[in-house]
Amino acid sequence: MSLFSKIFGGGEKSEPEPVSYRGFEIFPDLMPEGGKYRLLARIEKTIGGNRKTHTVIRADVFETRDQGESFSIAKAKQVIDEQGNRIFD
């Protein structure tokens, strides 16, 4: 990767590592915004042989990627606890 790609964020976007939680997989897919990171998480689960996906996006914005990932995972866990498989309806 070139120096300019590193500085300006070019190049390939890496897939975040999923976090397993209660049979679901949580991917903290943050949304870069003005040098900060907007909370965004993808929740996935295979049900009846079909891969289901639900996206959680919030107005919360964080200074660092680590903060954003932690809060994205926590929010996704909360959604799973509250709604379970209904999030895919």
Side-chain angles (χ1 to χ4, degrees):
M1 180 181 289
S2 74
L3 176 61
F4 288 110
S5 294
K6 289 179 184 176
I7 293 171
F8 297 108
E12 296 179 31
K13 180 183 174 188
S14 62
E15 178 74 13
E17 287 293 318
V19 173
S20 295
Y21 182 71
R22 301 180 83 185
F24 295 81
E25 287 185 313
I26 301 168
F27 295 85
D29 290 335
L30 301 178
M31 182 185 300
E33 186 173 299
K36 297 181 182 181
Y37 299 93
R38 181 170 303 278
L39 188 151
L40 186 123
R42 190 173 79 242
I43 301 170
E44 296 186 1
K45 185 175 183 179
T46 301
I47 301 173
N50 297 316
R51 191 71 171 171
K52 305 284 186 170
T53 302
H54 177 78
T55 302
V56 176
I57 185 166
R58 306 259 314 167
D60 306 280
V61 179
F62 301 93
E63 296 289 327
T64 68
R65 177 171 287 282
D66 288 342
Q67 280 181 320
E69 287 179 355
S70 292
F71 279 90
S72 291
I73 291 166
K75 180 52 76 175
K77 286 179 177 181
Q78 180 183 356
V79 170
I80 291 167
D81 289 341
E82 291 173 355
Q83 300 181 35
N85 288 341
R86 292 188 323 254
I87 63 173
F88 302 120
D89 292 342

